[in-house]
Amino acid sequence: MAVITNIDDLKRIYRRRVPKMFYDYAESGSWTEQTFRENSSDFSQIYLRQRIAKDMSNRTLATQMVGHDVSMPVALAPVGLTGMQSADGEIKAARAAEKAGVPFTLSTMSVCSIEEVARKTTRPFWFQVYTLKDDDFMRRLIARAKKAGCSALVITVDLQVLGQRHKDVRNGLSTPPKLTPKSILDLSTKWRWGLEMLGTRNRFFGNIVGHADGVSDPGSLASWTAEAFDPALDWTRIRHLMDMWDGGPVILKGILDVEDAKAAVAVGADAIVVSNHGGRQLDGALSSIRALRPIVDAVGDKIEVHFDGGIRSGQDVLKAMALGAKGTYIGRAWTYGLGAMGQKGVTAALEVIRKELDVSMALCGRRDIHEVDRDILLVPEDFEGRWAAN
Ligand SMILES: Cc1cc2nc3c(=O)[nH]c(=O)nc-3n(C[C@H](O)[C@H](O)[C@H](O)COP(=O)(O)O)c2cc1C
């Protein structure tokens, strides 16, 4: 078995094992990918303060996210199509999260349906919805999540229109993959992936096919998706969608601006996720880590502020927590693990991050994740940018 020392090790194996089309789907940002790259690289501008001769015994990372106990402040972000990264991928990831004691968030665009994931797991997971135009579909989708026992609703608010990812266009991304001479050649080298995929019936968008009007066969899905997102979304509509859910906390995901964070407080959300969709939407937007502190300073005492974007290590989690996040999410990091080694790979990704977070926290002289604050950081004075007045 391969030795896994960090998230990059998982990424290397992932690249070898999963068809190029799906690797590219995960490993890309919109347009020039500037925001995608900076989400990760901006972490390295922040330094950690090494402390010594502090009691580093009996450490704990346990905390809560939206009132739910978590063994560390790291949830699995909603990632679409993970059932194509590995057969029944959503079930494998949910099980790994369950074992690790962290939340799993199922995407609307998952391959395994809400019901299927609920059947194959023992603990409630969170469910993510996109803001779609079709009120009846939204109502039914949210009711299905409630019925399946989901314990929090994540509403993704940064995808009214879709940012373009060049690789997906070039690859003609589809679920399941279309057979062209190029994709057949690629698939022939990914036999392990193919064999596993033959063993499952979950190969389409399980939450949508057969549930949305006019989408009974996967062929009609592409046109439905293009039409489905609501470009006219506003705060009244967000409140309306929140009202469809009475199954626990509501988390608004995809906030990068202080004004929008204030509006999220006003609309009554329980938490926000400072996020730019992993650099997949507005290319040229600030990295999430640069957007975090001003948002925490503006609304951190009124709403729980969560964070995602660019996390590839426990040190990254530590920095986000020190800047004031109450919890973080990983997207690609667990996807690499899943594609590399299925459930074991997701577990490995979580364990890598847990260990890095724990030891780095200790080396900063802290024993409890609740004691982690800005004092452990050295942040450049202009990290958030000094911008010309408009
Ligand atoms: C392949 C892929 C698919 C994604 N699908 C969804 C999705 O269905 N719903 C959603 O809200 N966010 C989606 N996201 C965004 C993630 O939830 C998260 O915001 C992002 O991955 C965080 O950045 P990171 O990958 O650098 O950790 C997706 C991200 C990736 C990489």
Side-chain angles (χ1 to χ4, degrees):
M1 177 146 153
V3 177
I4 304 300
T5 60
N6 60 21
I7 296 296
D8 252 3
D9 286 345
L10 290 167
K11 184 170 160 186
R12 269 190 297 276
I13 303 173
Y14 165 53
R15 184 171 203 166
R16 283 204 306 272
R17 293 202 172 159
V18 172
K20 182 174 184 304
M21 169 189 292
F22 298 116
Y23 173 84
D24 281 353
Y25 167 64
E27 200 52 20
S28 58
S30 51
W31 290 288
T32 70
E33 305 191 331
Q34 177 190 357
T35 300
F36 167 48
R37 281 189 304 275
E38 291 181 359
N39 267 351
S40 289
S41 63
D42 280 354
F43 274 105
S44 63
Q45 292 185 30
I46 300 177
Y47 292 85
L48 295 166
R49 285 179 66 198
Q50 170 181 306
R51 304 301 306 276
I52 55 148
K54 298 254 180 196
D55 183 356
M56 296 177 190
S57 57
N58 298 325
R59 296 184 300 278
T60 175
L61 300 175
T63 182
Q64 290 200 324
M65 288 172 75
V66 288
H68 299 182
D69 289 333
V70 295
S71 68
M72 63 173 167
V74 181
L76 301 195
V79 173
L81 273 179
T82 40
M84 282 288 127
Q85 305 288 2
S86 175
D88 298 331
E90 291 88 4
I91 295 167
K92 291 172 180 166
R95 285 179 169 165
E98 203 171 280
K99 286 216 167 102
V102 300
F104 170 72
T105 318
L106 184 72
S107 162
T108 300
M109 305 308 276
S110 58
V111 174
C112 301
S113 67
I114 314 171
E115 292 80 4
E116 178 96 8
V117 177
R119 258 197 307 278
K120 303 277 172 62
T121 51
T122 57
R123 289 233 216 108
F125 51 92
W126 297 355
F127 186 64
Q128 174 264 331
V129 289
Y130 277 120
T131 49
L132 309 180
K133 273 187 282 197
D134 183 340
D135 228 41
D136 283 342
F137 177 72
M138 290 303 291
R139 216 176 275 286
R140 286 199 303 273
L141 187 66
I142 290 173
R144 284 170 59 200
K146 170 102 192 284
K147 193 161 171 225
C150 295
S151 54
L153 187 71
V154 177
I155 306 180
T156 298
V157 289
D158 62 3
L159 207 138
Q160 284 168 256
V161 292
L162 197 63
Q164 175 169 305
R165 295 181 298 264
H166 300 329
K167 290 173 204 152
D168 292 352
V169 177
R170 290 190 193 115
N171 289 334
L173 178 77
S174 66
T175 310
K178 277 196 200 72
L179 294 180
T180 61
K182 219 166 114 191
S183 69
I184 290 172
L185 192 68
D186 181 41
L187 287 176
S188 68
T189 65
K190 310 286 160 48
W191 54 271
R192 189 195 308 249
W193 177 93
L195 277 181
E196 281 190 19
M197 213 49 91
L198 286 174
T200 180
R201 282 188 307 186
N202 296 319
R203 280 184 233 135
F204 305 110
F205 290 99
N207 292 326
I208 295 169
V209 175
H211 293 281
D213 292 340
V215 192
S216 48
D217 78 285
S220 50
L221 187 70
S223 53
W224 181 83
T225 314
E227 290 286 302
F229 293 101
D230 183 5
L233 181 81
D234 59 14
W235 286 101
T236 310
R237 173 89 183 137
I238 292 176
R239 180 69 241 181
H240 177 67
L241 295 173
M242 289 168 64
D243 287 339
M244 291 182 186
W245 171 255
D246 60 353
V250 173
I251 302 166
L252 298 185
K253 170 175 180 285
I255 292 194
L256 211 60
D257 194 281
V258 167
E259 293 311 311
D260 292 336
K262 288 181 182 163
V265 173
V267 84
D270 297 283
I272 54 173
V273 188
V274 173
S275 169
N276 49 35
H277 216 101
R280 296 162 79 79
Q281 283 292 91
L282 180 61
D283 186 36
L286 279 186
S287 65
S288 301
I289 195 64
R290 287 224 261 170
L292 177 60
R293 185 158 62 169
I295 292 180
V296 169
D297 289 346
V299 301
D301 56 343
K302 300 180 192 74
I303 196 167
E304 207 168 297
V305 178
H306 296 174
F307 172 89
D308 81 19
I311 293 177
R312 302 289 182 272
S313 70
Q315 288 85 346
D316 294 343
V317 173
L318 185 64
K319 290 172 185 176
M321 295 299 287
L323 285 177
K326 293 280 178 268
T328 68
Y329 301 71
I330 50 171
R332 292 180 183 84
W334 76 260
T335 307
Y336 301 157
L338 178 72
M341 300 178 344
Q343 182 177 331
K344 280 201 184 89
V346 181
T347 299
L350 287 167
E351 282 317 304
V352 161
I353 287 180
R354 187 191 303 281
K355 194 164 171 203
E356 291 169 340
L357 173 59
D358 174 52
V359 174
S360 304
M361 178 178 80
L363 293 172
C364 290
R366 303 295 157 96
R367 297 194 304 174
D368 185 331
I369 195 74
H370 297 105
E371 292 170 359
V372 165
D373 59 12
R374 290 182 189 171
D375 209 38
I376 70 162
L377 299 180
L378 296 168
V379 186
E381 260 179 12
D382 60 349
F383 183 64
E384 280 88 13
R386 278 197 289 269
W387 313 113
N390 291 322

